[in-house]
Amino acid sequence: MTIIKYRLLTLLTAILYLGNMAASSGNIPLNGKWQLSYWKQPAEAIVTPQTINDMQVETIEATVPGNVELDLMAAGLIPDPMIGSNVNALRKYENYQWCYTKTFGAPSIQNGQRLELFFGGIDCMADIWLNGEKVGEAANMLIEHKFDITDHLKSGENTLQVIIRSAVMEAQKHTLGTFSIGNFPAEEAVYIRKAPHMYGWDIMPRLVSAGLWRDVELRVLNPTRLKDVNWMTISIDTVAHTARIFTDVQLIMPFDKFDKVKAQFTLRRKGKVVYQNSQTVSTPAFRHIFELNNVDFWWPRGYGEAALYDASVQLIGPDGKELDTNNCRIGIRTVKLDMDDINLPGKPGQFRFIVNNEPIFIHGTNWVPMDALHSRDKLHLNMMIDMAVDINCNMIRCWGGNVYEDTGFFNLCDENGILVWQDFGMGCTFYPQREDFAKMIEQEVTSVVLKFRNHASLILWSGNNENDLAMRWTLQPLNINPNKDVITREVIARVLYEFDPTRPYLPSSPYYSQAVWEHGGGDELLPENHLWGPRGYYKKPYYTKASCCFVSEIGYHGCPNVESLNKMMTKNAVYPWTRDKEWNDEWVTKSTRRFPSQGKTFDRNNLMLNQVNLLFGEVPTKLEDFVFASQAVQAEAMKFFVELWRGQKFSPKTGIIWWNLRDGWPIISDAIVDYYNSKKMAYYFIKNAQTDLCVLINDPVDNAYPLIVTNDTRNAQKGQVVVIDVASNKEIYTGNFEVSANSMNKITLLPLQKGQGILLIKYKVGQKEYSNHYLYGEAPFNLQEYKKLLKKTGLYPDIKQ
């Protein structure tokens, strides 16, 4: 036998071994190398493999999970869409169809088993064929798809084909209502269940991708198997450390096994069994109820340990053998949203999260796409969660223009005590009210809820991002009431009422309730709001006098570091201006814009010019100085927003979710970390402003600076603080402080300082030392003097100056 034949035989043996092993364990991966064919979509889209032969097609190698753009780039057919204006070259591919092809050997399955074809994500409108027979179709990028292919398999080699139609062309088949046209998102996104940002947003490019963007696998299904397991904390006593748990089980099982199979329920904490019991299975759906003692509760960051239990349900046959098992990790906790739906004179509204009967002050970030090409999301996940933990975010709001993150995201949030606010995948427009669209949303919401409802971190469902608000942008004169929206007020609410009654539901963010609508719909009526407004000076009354107690979007622009600009632009475009602060084409692309033919669709770069000029009185022409000035403005603004809210903890403010942690594409934006994971100055400022116990200074009240300590823990705290004027190195204040659990306290009032400068706040709690700063005086400030004072504080050694 030759060496080549021997190696081929060895490889074949390994493949067969792995295949058999995967089959016995329940799944066989189909990731890896596929073939990708593509062609321009004709007037009648190609939906069968046989008619592909009639088309002029190109075929290249593909990788799954993947996006077609990554395969085109690997084949040398397109430039990297992350760089410069290259993304605009992808416009022509919006008119293409794509066919993924994979051959695989049929796994051996036992009598009574079924074989399921699983897709973690198909983008987007597809027909699935096996051996020339249609086995299913998909029309939603955002959810998983499963197809029983047992009866379509043949012995030996099988050919799987996924034919994807053009989402842009398919959108033409739908007629939109008046309120779905002329809003923020592209109209062609409204009827298609695809991540809205992909059609172009102010934070993401127009990159209407396609692909098999999450895992593909075969799953072997036993005749007796668990279909769904839902663990619910029904009631708790945090003093007695007890809890009442419901475990709802649904299964599939041959009738002759009923009354013979047992379901065994086990909870483990740190490897030790803390609860175990079993019951005979007599019906395909049943509930197991038990009381748990000595409970370690799951708490958000700062408020206690994010304690998790390993939970399992096993189906055990009369011979004692395991027939199936479901494993997950659960946190025992309760959650409530204490909400009034309107602010009224003399009766301010409320919007406050309560976990385990404890009010939680929120400081966290909005979560936008991790990558414009979502098959790469996993590459960024761990680093992004590490950053959220590093700057002590206790909540992440998953924004509605994105995909739904996968299980790994929620696992990390569970483990790190990060609460998750989850928008459903709609934003900034009003969606169709017809029955066919409602059915798509019902299917989507049901899929998402069943997938994630066991996660302790998931604390709120929200119907969408800014759909209620969108009615005011273009249709306010028509006085259309968002409370008549069938999708959010009926369809989603009905699914949640049925499948997840343990979590609160917010129909839209911000939510224009019937009461708000009847009182005129003004911003002053909203207890929870998004504060974007004029995007002017960050200390204007628009921000400082905002009537909402909870702000779920607020941000400020900041330019990426020069090193990142060199990565995202071509060499001759790194310097931004051609003349008179006119942005060059690549900086306009990074603004962003949807269509080059329409010019500056979203001209957001000029926000930086205005904001730099407001704080420093001029816009530097040297690139390094401009980057520093822009980042300084963003950092001071973002820190100011966080401290403005924390300085009024529960009196009346209840939380702030700022915009946003990291970019999903190389862009000029509000993010505090760019696409290349390079941190802007705001990252470090926010980190100091979001410690569990923070000493801060708010703007003057009654001709004095309030020195405040805010405590986001369940323990009373005390410490020492010194405040120093950085320029003179003079101590302004030295003293001790105390603060009750989960509260804030005004330590003292500091005298006003003349002129401009920075106050350094150094404080100590136990053996831990902390620092913060406060920029005092009236703008504009001298940029070079500000830079010197900031450096002198010694607080931010990682900032690039």
Side-chain angles (χ1 to χ4, degrees):
M1 181 183 292
T2 65
I3 293 177
I4 293 176
K5 287 183 178 179
Y6 174 77
R7 287 177 176 171
L8 287 173
L9 181 60
T10 302
L11 178 61
L12 180 59
T13 303
I15 291 172
L16 290 173
Y17 172 75
L18 289 172
N20 290 333
M21 181 177 67
S24 65
S25 64
N27 59 72
I28 305 162
L30 294 183
N31 292 341
K33 297 303 178 186
W34 291 53
Q35 293 297 309
L36 178 64
S37 301
Y38 57 98
W39 60 91
K40 289 184 179 180
Q41 178 165 318
E44 291 294 328
I46 301 299
V47 296
T48 66
Q50 295 80 8
T51 49
I52 293 177
N53 297 327
D54 300 330
M55 303 299 299
Q56 185 176 352
V57 305
E58 301 288 338
T59 300
I60 58 176
E61 192 174 76
T63 299
V64 173
N67 294 80
V68 296
E69 293 80 7
L70 295 175
D71 300 319
L72 292 171
M73 189 166 63
L77 298 173
I78 62 169
D80 187 346
M82 303 294 117
I83 297 173
S85 295
N86 290 343
V87 71
N88 298 331
L90 302 179
R91 170 73 162 152
K92 68 177 184 179
Y93 291 104
E94 296 177 10
N95 185 37
Y96 276 61
Q97 285 191 257
W98 312 86
C99 179
Y100 283 87
T101 302
K102 176 85 169 181
T103 58
F104 62 92
S108 58
I109 57 175
Q110 299 172 7
N111 185 39
Q113 289 183 328
R114 307 294 294 178
L115 195 64
E116 183 178 78
L117 176 61
F118 168 84
F119 293 92
I122 302 176
D123 186 9
C124 162
M125 312 186 76
D127 296 275
I128 297 93
W129 297 78
L130 183 63
N131 302 323
E133 296 182 300
K134 187 172 180 179
V135 296
E137 57 188 39
N140 192 325
M141 171 196 180
L142 305 173
I143 61 176
E144 299 171 344
H145 298 277
K146 304 170 186 178
F147 309 98
D148 188 325
I149 62 170
T150 312
D151 299 331
H152 300 275
L153 276 176
K154 63 181 183 181
S155 60
E157 189 173 87
N158 290 260
T159 300
L160 174 63
Q161 291 174 288
V162 182
I163 304 173
I164 300 175
R165 305 189 296 282
S166 163
V168 171
M169 298 301 293
E170 293 296 298
Q172 298 181 32
K173 296 178 179 179
H174 302 285
T175 301
L176 300 181
T178 300
F179 49 46
S180 297
I181 298 176
N183 295 316
F184 191 88
E187 285 78 4
E188 58 210 319
V190 175
Y191 225 105
I192 306 299
R193 297 312 298 148
K194 184 177 174 72
H197 75 83
M198 301 178 84
Y199 295 87
W201 213 272
D202 59 3
I203 60 163
M204 294 295 286
R206 183 179 176 92
L207 207 169
V208 190
S209 186
L212 304 179
W213 67 282
R214 278 185 177 158
D215 294 334
V216 182
E217 62 188 30
L218 300 175
R219 294 180 170 180
V220 179
L221 305 179
N222 292 322
T224 298
R225 61 186 182 272
L226 291 158
K227 186 169 68 172
D228 183 74
V229 175
N230 183 27
W231 298 81
M232 293 178 288
T233 303
I234 300 304
S235 62
I236 62 171
D237 185 329
T238 55
V239 176
H241 286 269
T242 59
R244 193 168 198 234
I245 310 295
F246 284 6
T247 309
D248 287 355
V249 177
Q250 298 184 59
L251 50 80
I252 293 174
M253 192 164 69
F255 184 79
D256 60 3
K257 290 188 179 295
F258 285 111
D259 304 320
K260 301 180 182 70
V261 170
K262 287 189 176 181
Q264 181 168 282
F265 301 84
T266 306
L267 277 184
R268 291 179 174 85
R269 174 79 174 126
K270 297 181 178 179
K272 180 182 177 181
V273 174
V274 297
Y275 176 83
Q276 191 168 74
N277 207 340
S278 63
Q279 67 184 69
T280 301
V281 177
S282 301
T283 63
F286 57 92
R287 173 171 295 160
H288 182 73
I289 303 174
F290 62 98
E291 307 291 331
L292 190 65
N293 299 315
N294 301 315
V295 174
D296 292 330
F297 294 103
W298 188 93
W299 289 97
R301 295 188 63 76
Y303 289 83
E305 182 184 3
L308 293 172
Y309 287 79
D310 295 306
S312 70
V313 177
Q314 295 170 287
L315 297 180
I316 301 173
D319 58 359
K321 291 184 179 180
E322 181 184 287
L323 300 173
D324 197 15
T325 185
N326 176 283
N327 297 307
C328 67
R329 301 184 80 195
I330 66 167
I332 297 174
R333 59 102 182 100
T334 57
V335 55
K336 183 172 78 170
L337 177 60
D338 179 16
M339 182 182 78
D340 300 315
D341 61 4
I342 188 171
N343 288 326
L344 292 174
K347 188 183 177 184
Q350 181 67 273
F351 193 95
R352 183 177 61 164
F353 290 97
I354 297 175
V355 176
N356 300 334
N357 302 318
E358 185 81 27
I360 307 296
F361 187 89
I362 301 299
H363 42 83
T365 183
N366 280 271
W367 188 271
V368 304
M370 288 192 278
D371 204 294
L373 298 171
H374 283 288
S375 65
R376 303 194 293 199
D377 285 353
K378 283 185 178 180
L379 300 176
H380 312 297
L381 176 60
N382 287 336
M383 182 174 289
M384 288 184 66
I385 293 294
D386 285 346
M387 290 188 292
V389 170
D390 182 49
I391 59 176
N392 203 34
C393 293
N394 64 13
M395 177 174 277
I396 286 173
R397 174 178 177 254
C398 291
W399 169 70
N402 194 6
V403 298
Y404 300 106
E405 298 303 345
D406 210 352
T407 303
F409 166 84
F410 287 92
N411 287 341
L412 289 173
C413 290
D414 290 345
E415 293 165 11
N416 288 286
I418 301 174
L419 301 168
V420 177
W421 162 329
Q422 178 67 63
D423 284 358
F424 289 108
M426 295 175 282
C428 296
T429 191
F430 227 61
Y431 285 78
Q433 304 291 289
R434 279 155 279 169
E435 186 176 350
D436 59 342
F437 187 81
K439 285 183 177 179
M440 286 195 293
I441 294 300
E442 182 177 4
Q443 179 191 25
E444 177 181 318
V445 173
T446 303
S447 174
V448 171
V449 170
L450 292 179
K451 182 176 179 179
F452 296 129
R453 63 182 177 178
N454 276 324
H455 288 277
S457 57
L458 180 55
I459 195 172
L460 177 73
W461 299 110
S462 174
N464 57 65
N465 172 76
E466 297 182 354
N467 286 9
D468 283 11
L469 176 60
M471 286 302 215
R472 302 180 59 201
W473 294 336
T474 57
L475 292 175
Q476 190 170 14
L478 298 179
N479 201 35
I480 296 177
N481 186 348
N483 293 284
K484 294 182 179 181
D485 176 24
V486 171
I487 302 302
T488 59
R489 271 58 171 190
E490 296 182 24
V491 176
I492 297 177
R494 184 172 64 240
V495 174
L496 295 175
Y497 178 77
E498 182 176 4
F499 289 104
D500 194 15
T502 68
R503 283 182 182 84
Y505 171 56
L506 183 69
S508 185
S509 178
Y511 172 41
Y512 286 76
S513 67
Q514 184 64 27
V516 168
W517 191 257
E518 291 172 354
H519 282 79
D523 280 359
E524 73 283 357
L525 301 172
L526 300 176
E528 173 261 341
N529 202 3
H530 298 181
L531 295 181
W532 292 109
R535 303 294 291 272
Y537 185 43
Y538 61 85
K539 292 191 178 185
K540 284 289 187 179
Y542 175 81
Y543 300 110
T544 60
K545 302 297 182 183
S547 57
C548 59
C549 62
F550 194 103
V551 56
S552 43
E553 286 189 17
I554 188 170
Y556 225 69
H557 247 53
C559 192
N561 292 312
V562 175
E563 294 87 341
S564 295
L565 295 175
N566 280 306
K567 294 176 183 177
M568 72 172 69
M569 312 287 188
T570 59
K571 183 177 180 181
N572 293 330
V574 173
Y575 188 78
W577 303 297
T578 54
R579 64 182 187 279
D580 299 328
K581 296 297 188 296
E582 183 70 25
W583 303 97
N584 70 45
D585 184 73
E586 292 186 17
W587 280 71
V588 172
T589 297
K590 304 296 188 183
S591 302
T592 63
R593 63 182 174 194
R594 288 197 186 115
F595 306 106
S597 61
Q598 295 182 6
K600 301 175 182 178
T601 313
F602 300 114
D603 183 17
R604 300 178 79 219
N605 288 342
N606 283 333
L607 292 174
M608 291 186 296
L609 300 184
N610 180 53
Q611 291 163 357
V612 168
N613 190 58
L614 286 170
L615 191 63
F616 294 114
E618 61 177 348
V619 178
T621 56
K622 184 180 177 182
L623 181 59
E624 289 77 7
D625 286 344
F626 172 72
V627 169
F628 179 89
S630 173
Q631 289 196 13
V633 177
Q634 180 194 36
E636 291 290 353
M638 298 293 279
K639 187 172 88 77
F640 178 81
F641 296 150
V642 173
E643 293 180 344
L644 177 66
W645 249 253
R646 294 195 77 184
Q648 301 174 72
K649 175 175 177 171
F650 298 146
S651 223
K653 305 302 186 185
T654 56
I656 175 169
I657 309 176
W658 41 266
W659 191 279
N660 62 299
L661 180 60
R662 178 187 169 275
D663 290 320
W665 188 66
I667 193 175
I668 317 299
S669 75
D670 302 279
I672 64 171
V673 181
D674 66 37
Y675 178 76
Y676 304 102
N677 298 314
S678 182
K679 300 177 178 69
K680 302 178 189 178
M681 195 183 302
Y683 180 94
Y684 304 102
F685 281 31
I686 290 175
K687 181 176 180 178
N688 277 359
Q690 288 195 163
T691 53
D692 289 337
L693 187 138
C694 184
V695 179
L696 56 92
I697 296 174
N698 279 167
D699 269 3
V701 177
D702 298 328
N703 293 315
Y705 302 114
L707 181 66
I708 295 168
V709 56
T710 182
N711 178 16
D712 291 349
T713 76
R714 291 187 297 124
N715 299 308
Q717 305 276 3
K718 59 183 179 180
Q720 304 84 44
V721 60
V722 58
V723 180
I724 302 167
D725 187 277
V726 175
S728 64
N729 205 32
K730 177 184 175 183
E731 286 190 6
I732 304 300
Y733 175 81
T734 301
N736 300 321
F737 63 83
E738 293 184 359
V739 60
S740 300
N742 198 18
S743 66
M744 56 83 67
N745 187 28
K746 290 183 180 179
I747 301 171
T748 190
L749 293 175
L750 302 174
L752 289 181
Q753 304 298 299
K754 294 181 179 179
Q756 299 172 329
I758 290 178
L759 296 178
L760 173 62
I761 308 163
K762 302 178 74 173
Y763 58 105
K764 187 175 181 180
V765 181
Q767 298 302 309
K768 291 186 177 181
E769 296 182 351
Y770 304 88
S771 298
N772 202 355
H773 83 271
Y774 173 76
L775 178 66
Y776 70 82
E778 297 293 326
F781 294 83
N782 179 280
L783 177 61
Q784 298 306 319
E785 183 63 24
Y786 172 83
K787 188 181 291 189
K788 290 177 185 176
L789 289 176
L790 194 66
K791 186 175 183 179
K792 193 174 178 181
T793 66
L795 294 183
Y796 310 106
D798 296 320
I799 290 175
K800 297 175 173 62
Q801 297 193 29

